[in-house]
Amino acid sequence: MLPKQREMDGIVKQIYEATEREAHLQSTLLVLCGDHGMNDAGNHGGSSPGETSPALVFISPKMKAISEGGPCPTPPTKDFEYYDLVEQSDIVPTLSGLLDFPVPKNNLGVFIPKFLRFWSQDTDRIQLLQRNAHQLLDVVNATYPGPPLENRCADCLAPSTDLHVLCCHWKRVRELLDLLAKDGDVGFDELLDAFMKFSRHAQGIMSSTASNYDVRLLGGGIAAGAVSALLAVLSFAYGGMMFASSYVEEEHHFWYWMLSGWLFYLLAKAVSYHRRQTLNFTADEGMPKSGQKKAMGLPAWSILLILVGVRITRRWNQTGQKFAGERDIVKSLQSHNLVLWALVMATYLDLGRRICQRGLRRQPFPVAFIVAVSLVLAALGFKLCYTSAEAPELLRGFPAVVLAAADHTGSLLTQARAVFLGITLALSYGLVTEWWPRSVVMWPRTTAPPPPPSPSPPPPSSLRVLSPTSWLLHDLLTLFLITQSRASNIPLFLIFEIQLHALRTTASATSTSPSLLSATDLSTLSVLLQHSAFFALGNSNSLASIDLSNAYNAVAGYDVRSVAVLTFAGNWAGPIWWLSATVILFLSTSRSEQCDGGWSRHLALHTAFAATALVFVMAACAALRTHLFIWTVFSPKYLYAMAWCLAQHLLVTVGLGSAMFALGGGGGASGGGALRRAGGGGRG
């Protein structure tokens, strides 16, 4: 941030020196302004003084004629009020007056009085103020139809409403103007004070009309959402939070604690399950007795491992507003770059291994190895080059040869397109070879036909041997999501993968016993994991936390659809990944409840929660529409709720998830491929 600030300071200095030096630039006006400020954590979108106090500077050689002088630089203040305080809407009428343009008819700004010094005649100054006041008067009369404003107040000694007070201010302006027209015995300061009282009061009234909502439409929307909502305990607990601004800002704590509580419930369930199975133990012929007893205790240990992962992920990024600046794992790793990149490379290597051994396991090993290595190296190379260009501080301590290679590799646009193209080709190749009729698949050249695979005893657990298609879809989606994530968040996906493996172990059971996790358990866990992962990656309910750093990967120009998809994928990478993991979990168990009706029940439960949550958010925004934080807390939360419902639920969960479930369930095996081992030229 500091190098960029110094760069911009130098640019402003060059412009100003040019206006002083060149005669034809003497009348140039440079307006330097910001649309928002920033808090101590580097975010914005809240209501703190630092976030709502952007800088505004008017720069011109002619400013010396009206400047009163002042200390520079000024000492810092807590309220960020240094020279003068103006509304952002005041910029437009001020520029209109300086450029001799009419003020836009719907503008609510007031001419900044200090610039009146550019005009030496009081008549010119009064004309500027009068034009601005009449423009605001027209806006008021259009908003409040009826008789003209000056006819709406009879007694100004005790005005009863804001509109009544405004009417009295306007009557005072008219009286002074009439008096000035008769004998001219009116001081300019007195007239300026009357104009400013009217204009500022009109500005305040009209700004407040932004909160005049049509309550009937709000109620209709709530009712429409309530029709599709099935209320549940989790939904009620979550919905109740939406009526408190602090809970909305710190929503991540709700999901972290609910996830931990649910996992402890599953842990108790696993312990109880283990005790029952130990007491009622009967040997399974397909597995040694000691091994079966050990397998019974695996779910409890798996859940403990998941809890450890949850503890790490919740400390990975410190999010929210209250403790946004506190130290977290990412900040610690940024001071140990080599450790961070060791974890990043471990994530890429593990992903490459999984693509080779799981997604492409039926392909000849050389082909699978080359495809996996090429994809991983291309993605890792792009991430290194992107980090070198956008965040070089994360590469401090790297060998000079690596940094030089990153700086002289092809453009980021070409590299990103190569990664996305590679993912597309690998997916297409895997699907075609998996679903193509077996009669046209060529065996490797041998002197004799390959022997038929020898039958093997069924596995001792109910975990199905998933088809390569399901794993290929999951692993290639993981590679895409990693590409759209910040480098510091990439190790989280390795932790997610470990948690998924533990969950698959938890979902398994011995061949003589039912699965530990029901479809309802998996659906509830999916909701909790998706929301927890969203916040673990550093997101919050503030618009300031939206990450646009990967929104233009592989995009040459501004393409609204492509940028929107990439932005969503980058910010919802965690929830999208856990949706894919949920598909894997539902496909991993052989119970008919899970495989046949489980996914439909999962979609129904997710729809119920999404609808209920949206109803509560809509109700909170309607009930708190006049709240101080309606624009900074509740309105952004409403936008996030719409993204969760429309994009994450409808498009990702229902659309993408159902497609992955259908493709992974069939897997090119005519309904039974999920249980069949690879043979011939593939690898088992």
Side-chain angles (χ1 to χ4, degrees):
M1 181 64 73
L2 189 58
K4 180 59 67 175
Q5 290 174 336
R6 289 171 177 165
E7 178 185 353
M8 293 307 301
D9 287 345
I11 293 174
V12 173
K13 180 180 179 182
Q14 292 178 22
I15 295 174
Y16 180 70
E17 290 177 347
T19 60
E20 285 191 313
R21 183 174 60 253
E22 304 293 339
H24 67 286
L25 297 178
Q26 292 298 307
S27 296
T28 299
L29 173 63
L30 173 63
V31 182
L32 192 64
C33 60
D35 60 338
H36 57 78
M38 192 172 290
N39 59 21
D40 293 338
N43 298 325
H44 65 85
S47 57
S48 65
E51 295 168 272
T52 58
S53 302
L56 173 64
V57 184
F58 290 83
I59 304 173
S60 174
K62 289 191 173 183
M63 295 293 293
K64 295 179 180 179
I66 67 169
S67 176
E68 297 176 344
C72 183
T74 60
T77 62
K78 291 184 178 180
D79 54 8
F80 297 93
E81 296 182 14
Y82 293 103
Y83 297 108
D84 289 293
L85 183 65
V86 299
E87 296 289 336
Q88 286 185 327
S89 58
D90 296 344
I91 299 175
V92 173
T94 302
L95 292 178
S96 298
L98 293 174
L99 299 174
D100 197 23
F101 291 161
V103 181
K105 62 180 298 184
N106 292 322
N107 184 261
L108 301 180
V110 179
F111 189 92
I112 300 175
K114 283 194 173 183
F115 287 97
L116 292 172
R117 299 171 189 165
F118 277 123
W119 289 267
S120 58
Q121 300 295 324
D122 286 347
T123 54
D124 295 330
R125 300 175 181 177
I126 294 173
Q127 184 185 21
L128 278 170
L129 295 172
Q130 196 169 0
R131 287 194 305 184
N132 190 190
H134 273 287
Q135 177 260 330
L136 289 171
L137 179 64
D138 292 340
V139 176
V140 173
N141 285 328
T143 306
Y144 299 96
L149 182 64
E150 59 266 23
N151 298 333
R152 302 189 188 190
C153 53
D155 182 16
C156 289
L157 296 179
S160 56
T161 64
D162 283 339
L163 202 61
H164 196 173
V165 173
L166 184 64
C167 174
C168 294
H169 285 323
W170 181 243
K171 288 185 66 174
R172 177 59 178 165
V173 170
R174 293 292 300 270
E175 291 172 359
L176 291 176
L177 289 175
D178 292 342
L179 184 61
L180 180 66
K182 291 178 181 179
D183 54 16
D185 189 18
V186 177
F188 174 75
D189 290 339
E190 184 180 5
L191 194 57
L192 174 63
D193 181 66
F195 269 116
M196 295 307 294
K197 283 183 178 178
F198 167 78
S199 299
R200 289 299 183 193
H201 199 71
Q203 184 183 49
I205 290 178
M206 297 311 302
S207 297
S208 66
T209 59
S211 300
N212 291 342
Y213 305 97
D214 190 331
V215 180
R216 291 175 299 176
L217 292 178
L218 292 173
I222 296 171
V227 170
S228 61
L230 300 174
L231 303 181
V233 175
L234 177 63
S235 302
F236 271 114
Y238 174 73
M241 293 172 45
M242 297 300 102
F243 292 86
S245 59
S246 296
Y247 285 130
V248 173
E249 292 177 335
E250 306 298 321
E251 182 185 333
H252 54 285
H253 290 298
F254 171 84
W255 294 110
Y256 291 155
W257 285 108
M258 289 296 293
L259 175 58
S260 299
W262 187 254
L263 288 173
F264 274 112
Y265 158 73
L266 295 180
L267 178 62
K269 187 176 179 181
V271 172
S272 175
Y273 162 85
H274 176 60
R275 289 178 177 175
R276 289 197 310 270
Q277 295 302 108
T278 303
L279 292 175
N280 303 321
F281 176 75
T282 55
D284 188 345
E285 296 179 359
M287 186 177 183
K289 184 175 180 180
S290 59
Q292 292 186 54
K293 287 189 174 182
K294 185 181 295 185
M296 292 177 190
L298 280 179
W301 290 106
S302 299
I303 293 175
L304 287 175
L305 179 61
I306 298 169
L307 281 167
V308 172
V310 170
R311 182 56 191 167
I312 295 174
T313 56
R314 67 183 295 178
R315 288 295 300 165
W316 197 265
N317 284 290
Q318 186 65 54
T319 185
Q321 294 289 328
K322 195 172 182 180
F323 303 105
E326 297 295 325
R327 194 165 184 83
D328 50 33
I329 294 178
V330 168
K331 291 185 177 66
S332 300
L333 289 177
Q334 287 176 351
S335 58
H336 300 83
N337 294 335
L338 296 182
V339 176
L340 169 63
W341 282 98
L343 294 174
V344 170
M345 292 180 183
T347 305
Y348 276 106
L349 288 174
D350 179 69
L351 181 57
R353 177 191 62 81
R354 289 188 274 114
I355 293 175
C356 180
Q357 295 182 355
R358 300 192 311 196
L360 299 174
R361 69 169 182 261
R362 288 184 182 166
Q363 311 307 319
F365 178 76
V367 175
F369 180 80
I370 292 173
V371 171
V373 170
S374 300
L375 282 174
V376 168
L377 288 181
L380 178 58
F382 167 72
K383 189 59 66 175
L384 281 170
C385 294
Y386 182 88
T387 305
S388 177
E390 299 296 329
E393 66 275 6
L394 293 180
L395 296 178
R396 285 195 300 265
F398 264 59
V401 64
V402 176
L403 299 179
D407 292 336
H408 294 87
T409 312
S411 68
L412 295 176
L413 176 65
T414 303
Q415 294 183 64
R417 288 181 173 178
V419 174
F420 292 165
L421 179 62
I423 293 175
T424 304
L425 293 177
L427 179 60
S428 303
Y429 171 76
L431 292 178
V432 168
T433 57
E434 184 69 19
W435 288 83
W436 199 257
R438 289 298 171 187
S439 59
V440 301
V441 176
M442 299 299 295
W443 295 99
R445 293 182 180 178
T446 57
T447 56
S454 57
S456 56
S461 74
S462 66
L463 274 179
R464 301 202 305 168
V465 180
L466 296 187
S467 68
T469 301
S470 56
W471 285 123
L472 186 64
L473 290 169
H474 174 73
D475 292 334
L476 291 181
L477 178 62
T478 302
L479 185 60
F480 170 72
L481 296 175
I482 285 178
T483 305
Q484 289 303 114
S485 301
R486 296 193 299 267
S488 56
N489 284 336
I490 290 177
L492 281 175
F493 291 89
L494 182 59
I495 299 176
F496 292 162
E497 190 64 38
I498 295 173
Q499 290 177 310
L500 173 60
H501 177 75
L503 278 173
R504 292 191 72 221
T505 303
T506 305
S508 69
T510 62
S511 59
T512 59
S513 305
S515 173
L516 177 63
L517 299 180
S518 66
T520 303
D521 292 336
L522 288 179
S523 297
T524 304
L525 196 57
S526 175
V527 172
L528 295 171
L529 286 169
Q530 287 184 38
H531 285 79
S532 297
F534 175 78
F535 293 104
L537 267 70
N539 298 300
S540 70
N541 286 324
S542 170
L543 295 179
S545 66
I546 296 178
D547 182 15
L548 299 175
S549 59
N550 292 287
Y552 287 86
N553 288 346
V555 179
Y558 184 69
D559 184 339
V560 176
R561 289 181 291 272
S562 299
V563 171
V565 171
L566 294 175
T567 300
F568 177 78
N571 289 272
W572 266 261
I576 295 173
W577 191 94
W578 275 111
L579 176 275
S580 176
T582 302
V583 174
I584 294 295
L585 290 173
F586 272 96
L587 291 173
S588 293
T589 175
S590 61
R591 292 182 65 194
S592 59
E593 174 194 4
Q594 308 283 80
C595 298
D596 299 331
W599 184 253
S600 299
R601 189 179 303 117
H602 169 74
L603 293 181
L605 291 173
H606 259 255
T607 302
F609 172 78
T612 304
L614 182 59
V615 167
F616 273 107
V617 173
M618 294 166 64
C621 289
L624 303 173
R625 60 189 179 277
T626 59
H627 194 280
L628 176 63
F629 296 146
I630 183 61
W631 294 115
T632 57
V633 176
F634 297 105
S635 293
K637 175 56 189 175
Y638 180 78
L639 296 178
Y640 274 101
M642 295 302 295
W644 274 103
C645 287
L646 297 180
Q648 177 63 20
H649 177 65
L650 291 181
L651 297 181
V652 176
T653 301
V654 178
L656 178 64
S658 298
M660 294 178 67
F661 185 82
L663 291 172
S670 303
L675 290 171
R676 189 184 64 195
R677 292 287 184 178
R683 290 164 291 116

